[in-house]
Amino acid sequence: MTSRMQLNLVFSLFASVFAFAGFAGADDDLTRTAINPAVLQQNSTPTRNYGDELGFNRGRNNNDDGFRGGRNRGRNGHRGGNRDDAPVYQPDRPSAPDALPWTPQPPVTPVTPEPTRPTTPTPQMEITSRYQDPRMLSFLSAGNLNQIVSLYLEASQMIDTRHVNPLSYEVRTRQALETLVEAVENPAYLQANRISPSPAAVRNFQDQLAELARTQPARSANEAVGLMQWAGDIGQRELGLRPEAVALEFLNGTLDALDPYSSFIPAQTGLGPGAGLEEHIVGIGVELKADEAGALVMGVIEGGPAAEGRLQKGDMIVAIDGRSVTGMGLNQIADLITGPSGTSVRVQIRRDGREYGATLVRRSIYVSSVAGAQMIDGETGYVRLKQFSESSAEDLGKAMWDLYNRGMNTLVLDLRGNPGGLLTESIQVSDLFLPQGTIVSTKGRTAQDNMSESANWSQTWRLPLVVLVDEYSASASEIFAAAIQENGRGVIVGRRTYGKGTVQTHFPLRTVSGELKLTTAKFYSPKGREMAGAGVTPDMTVAASNNVSADLQSDADIRAALQVIASNQASDLASNAGQRGGR
């Protein structure tokens, strides 16, 4: 059995998080998947996986990122071999023309105001998100107390041995009890447990938990389990709450205490929204983000049911099968849209003040991470990379060759809203442009959490490059952007990125069906800069805009990119790339 990485909690409560109504998620934080020692005993030759997911869904303490298993990686985290298994579609690199006839435009004065950063979710938002997740609800209904106790002990062992900064049991259990205090005031938690306690009963329960935290500090895993069971007895007596419900949220609260991204991920069941980097999904093929009015369409997958139904970027989904989705979270909207292949769903959308309806038939869709490839003008190509999934480097290479054959000699690569993805793909995409230099390094508590990746592929593209980023570009996106910027290969335009800078490992669990995701390392830019909380600051900052349009010419970031190109800055960097350090 091997550990595997997946994007979890796909549908966040924030308007910042994208989801594919297919549904594949785009929640993402770099996650290295280390091997559970217990599993190693069952499999003497495990395969290591590395991946990444952006976790806007959590956020009490720090930031984090992680990695998933790769084709070119050895057991020590470094790339093995001589890249014989690299994508074979790459031909000889195209030579950059001696002169590029850009049309000069008046320079843009960079705008420097800081955009609104993604909001850190409150404890109530975290609890609501958990208990709108079909996986957590399924586990809650089926799990028994002995299972959850065993799960807690297994998780505690992994925290103690692998978490990058494990807290004391006293701190963990105090946070767990505080989470329970919050949970019994949360409508989603109460509804999931089918209880309606009186305010007086809730206060009594909360007071007793506060007394427990004050008088019974835990100093070991067994003492923590004792507190969990004690809290379960109080919950059953005062609120009619099942001890299993108390124990499960005690576990969740313990993980919340560690960092924003460590979490328990129950196994996927039924037909609920998927949470991964799958490229073949069943759905209608739209990319959404949460909005107070419903779900805003941020993209439509080419050739999918939504595209055939003429949905387009900027549409607002306001009802599904006659049910209003105003005020719903993306988890709930995903539940309504998701269904088996061949079934239909009626979607009501609002566009330019008018409402339209479309009946769409769900089916399997190939979700390429590459979208919108087109020529902005006669010489400048544009490609949007939505996430770093298994075929990103290959699909990007194909899109670039198509544009190159149409006259492209400069590229604008759009990573705005890209929450990350697979580390291996981030490295391979970096290798498309970097002739040399460090790409990323990670540091953790154990040797297996430490690695360094460098560019060493000679067949790179030398054309001028501008990379667009924003406050929702995270993890693998930030690794790529930092690699391009700090190696002097291209120009970064947009807004400071999210600042994901830690690595998660996904451990398969023995006690229950699911995974434990723990933060096990931090990652660093090519110059050794810690990325957590800092992100990548653009070379040219452009003010954020709420305008959602499919017209590239009206896009302020695109206009800024074109003016960077006209200034020859990107061209100069491309010409000098690879000439440093004796090359």
Side-chain angles (χ1 to χ4, degrees):
M1 181 185 298
T2 62
S3 57
R4 64 185 178 88
M5 171 275 163
Q6 62 177 203
L7 292 180
N8 58 303
L9 225 82
V10 206
F11 310 104
S12 133
L13 297 176
F14 308 118
S16 60
V17 178
F18 295 99
F20 289 111
F23 268 82
D27 211 21
D28 185 42
D29 52 348
L30 266 180
T31 60
R32 175 190 323 242
T33 59
I35 303 301
N36 188 326
V39 176
L40 280 177
Q41 298 172 10
Q42 304 169 22
N43 186 346
S44 59
T45 57
T47 301
R48 293 184 59 84
N49 291 326
Y50 292 78
D52 142 73
E53 48 189 280
L54 175 68
F56 290 129
N57 52 302
R58 315 177 64 82
R60 277 224 174 89
N61 298 333
N62 309 320
N63 294 317
D64 91 298
D65 247 75
F67 306 83
R68 158 170 160 174
R71 295 182 288 255
N72 302 324
R73 310 181 66 81
R75 198 68 62 81
N76 62 356
H78 293 268
R79 242 178 298 178
N82 57 6
R83 298 295 299 268
D84 289 339
D85 52 354
V88 297
Y89 63 88
Q90 285 291 338
D92 292 336
R93 64 184 179 190
S95 299
D98 295 331
L100 300 177
W102 292 306
T103 302
Q105 299 182 30
V108 166
T109 301
V111 183
T112 57
E114 181 68 15
T116 301
R117 307 300 298 169
T119 306
T120 298
T122 65
Q124 286 292 322
M125 295 168 72
E126 293 176 357
I127 295 166
T128 297
S129 183
R130 274 198 284 270
Y131 291 94
Q132 289 180 346
D133 187 334
R135 295 169 299 175
M136 192 66 72
L137 293 175
S138 176
F139 184 84
L140 174 64
S141 65
N144 61 61
L145 186 58
N146 287 336
Q147 272 186 320
I148 299 174
V149 168
S150 297
L151 169 60
Y152 188 90
L153 291 171
E154 182 180 8
S156 296
Q157 180 186 22
M158 297 310 304
I159 293 169
D160 293 341
T161 57
R162 291 298 302 277
H163 193 273
V164 69
N165 184 30
L167 302 173
S168 69
Y169 278 95
E170 182 176 355
V171 174
R172 294 182 216 172
T173 53
R174 184 169 62 245
Q175 178 65 67
L177 293 172
E178 289 176 2
T179 299
L180 281 168
V181 166
E182 294 276 355
V184 294
E185 294 181 346
N186 182 273
Y189 181 77
L190 297 176
Q191 181 179 353
N193 289 286
R194 297 181 176 86
I195 60 171
S196 301
S198 68
V202 168
R203 285 194 299 271
N204 193 28
F205 174 74
Q206 292 171 328
D207 289 344
Q208 292 185 61
L209 292 191
E211 182 68 10
L212 268 185
R214 187 180 67 84
T215 62
Q216 302 293 329
R219 294 181 174 86
S220 68
N222 287 332
E223 289 183 5
V225 168
L227 274 182
M228 173 198 288
Q229 294 173 326
W230 199 341
D233 291 341
I234 297 172
Q236 188 171 40
R237 182 176 66 248
E238 300 295 337
L239 304 176
L241 192 58
R242 293 169 57 232
E244 289 83 356
V246 173
L248 178 58
E249 194 55 17
F250 189 96
L251 168 67
N252 289 326
T254 296
L255 294 167
D256 284 351
L258 299 174
D259 61 76
Y261 310 108
S262 293
S263 64
F264 165 53
I265 308 171
Q268 179 76 19
T269 59
L271 294 169
L277 290 168
E278 294 90 350
E279 294 179 334
H280 294 275
I281 59 176
V282 172
I284 63 172
V286 289
E287 183 182 354
L288 305 176
K289 77 171 182 178
D291 189 278
E292 292 180 356
L296 181 64
V297 176
M298 299 301 296
V300 178
I301 297 173
E302 297 176 9
E308 294 170 358
R310 299 187 180 180
L311 270 68
Q312 63 186 39
K313 182 177 181 180
D315 287 346
M316 182 71 67
I317 296 179
V318 295
I320 299 169
D321 286 333
R323 180 178 176 182
S324 172
V325 297
T326 302
M328 287 188 182
L330 281 180
N331 273 336
Q332 294 171 290
I333 297 173
D335 269 346
L336 296 176
I337 294 180
T338 303
S341 180
T343 60
S344 63
V345 59
R346 178 77 178 173
V347 177
Q348 194 78 11
I349 63 110
R350 183 179 298 137
R351 180 189 302 164
D352 298 328
R354 300 180 62 184
E355 293 196 358
Y356 305 87
T359 298
L360 309 174
V361 178
R362 305 175 180 100
R363 69 167 184 265
S364 178
I365 309 164
Y366 173 65
V367 184
S368 175
S369 58
V370 173
Q374 59 189 282
M375 296 295 293
I376 299 175
D377 55 36
E379 300 164 348
T380 306
Y382 167 89
V383 179
R384 179 185 172 214
L385 189 59
K386 297 184 292 187
Q387 63 183 25
F388 289 84
S389 56
E390 291 182 354
S391 302
S392 291
E394 180 179 359
D395 287 354
L396 177 59
K398 291 176 179 177
M400 289 173 62
W401 273 107
D402 178 67
L403 294 174
Y404 180 74
N405 290 332
R406 291 159 58 185
M408 177 186 73
N409 51 31
T410 303
L411 176 66
V412 176
L413 183 59
D414 191 351
L415 299 184
R416 292 174 297 178
N418 183 323
L422 303 180
L423 173 64
T424 46
E425 289 302 308
S426 178
I427 293 166
Q428 290 190 9
V429 171
S430 298
D431 264 345
L432 292 177
F433 302 98
L434 292 176
Q436 65 178 25
T438 299
I439 295 173
V440 65
S441 61
T442 69
K443 298 176 184 178
R445 291 173 62 197
T446 67
Q448 57 193 309
D449 295 319
N450 301 328
M451 68 92 190
S452 179
E453 294 285 355
S454 296
N456 59 7
W457 201 355
S458 61
Q459 294 180 317
T460 57
W461 288 79
R462 293 188 296 166
L463 77 178
L465 175 66
V466 177
V467 180
L468 304 183
V469 297
D470 65 8
E471 56 272 31
Y472 303 118
S473 304
S475 61
S477 295
E478 296 176 288
I479 286 175
F480 175 80
I484 294 299
Q485 184 182 60
E486 295 189 5
N487 283 291
R489 174 59 182 85
V491 182
I492 311 300
V493 171
R495 289 155 294 289
R496 181 168 63 88
T497 62
Y498 182 75
K500 294 277 304 157
T502 55
V503 177
Q504 283 74 50
T505 300
H506 285 243
F507 297 94
L509 293 163
R510 293 177 293 111
T511 50
V512 300
S513 180
E515 295 179 338
L516 181 68
K517 183 180 71 165
L518 291 181
T519 298
T520 54
K522 295 181 179 181
F523 74 82
Y524 298 82
S525 73
K527 293 184 177 180
R529 182 172 59 87
E530 185 174 330
M531 300 286 287
V536 177
T537 299
D539 301 300
M540 173 178 282
T541 299
V542 182
S545 172
N546 292 324
N547 179 41
V548 178
S549 172
D551 180 15
L552 295 183
Q553 300 298 331
S554 64
D555 189 316
D557 294 332
I558 296 290
R559 294 200 302 270
L562 291 174
Q563 291 170 27
V564 166
I565 292 168
S567 73
N568 290 334
Q569 182 181 358
S571 178
D572 290 343
L573 291 173
S575 298
N576 293 329
Q579 296 181 9
R580 303 171 185 80
R583 290 188 61 177

